[in-house]
Amino acid sequence: MERVKGLGELERSIMDILWAQSTALTAREVGRLIADRDLAPTTVMTVLDRLTRKGFLHRTRDGRAWRYAPAATRDAYVAELMLEALDMTGDRSAALTRFAQGVSGPEAEILRRALTELEDE
């Protein structure tokens, strides 16, 4: 995922399914797990192909089928979204300050630890 490209609603649903799995899935398996929608198998395959081209998925051959797995974790995706949002502001310091004011005590502690670890590297 070089730059985060937006995910549509169906793309997000499919990514949620793949992020929740511990193994790569075929298009058919994804289609079965997205039971709340009545999707044609070709629609699922098209979305998986699009997500692969966007860099969200890796695919490997499994006989005649492809198996799809996320290229990065959900956490990495969300972090990229946050960094892109930060890039949109004209004042990164103000945005970071406002963000810090909005996090809970435990979240602030996580940020402190992460920053301390980065400084120690």
Side-chain angles (χ1 to χ4, degrees):
M1 285 185 324
E2 288 176 22
R3 293 293 293 168
V4 173
K5 296 150 189 92
L7 288 175
E9 182 185 340
L10 181 54
E11 291 173 326
R12 251 190 333 271
S13 295
I14 288 176
M15 287 304 301
D16 286 340
I17 287 168
L18 290 165
W19 276 321
Q21 303 302 309
S22 58
T23 61
L25 299 178
T26 65
R28 182 171 295 184
E29 291 167 334
V30 171
R32 271 190 240 127
L33 291 171
I34 196 163
D36 62 328
R37 298 176 182 244
D38 186 24
L39 298 174
T42 54
T43 301
V44 174
M45 288 187 294
T46 298
V47 174
L48 289 167
D49 184 57
R50 187 177 329 135
L51 288 167
T52 300
R53 282 186 278 118
K54 285 183 173 183
F56 285 99
L57 298 176
H58 292 297
R59 70 181 180 185
T60 54
R61 266 289 181 202
D62 184 7
R64 292 179 44 189
W66 289 104
R67 288 203 167 270
Y68 296 87
T73 65
R74 181 192 316 262
D75 294 339
Y77 170 67
V78 171
E80 283 297 318
L81 287 176
M82 293 168 68
L83 289 169
E84 281 194 9
L86 190 56
D87 285 344
M88 291 188 321
T89 181
D91 186 349
R92 289 177 71 105
S93 295
L96 283 169
T97 299
R98 178 64 190 107
F99 177 78
Q101 292 168 343
V103 299
S104 68
E107 291 166 337
E109 184 54 38
I110 291 168
L111 287 171
R112 276 189 209 92
R113 273 196 310 259
L115 291 170
T116 299
E117 288 174 12
L118 287 172
E119 287 174 354
D120 292 345
E121 288 180 356

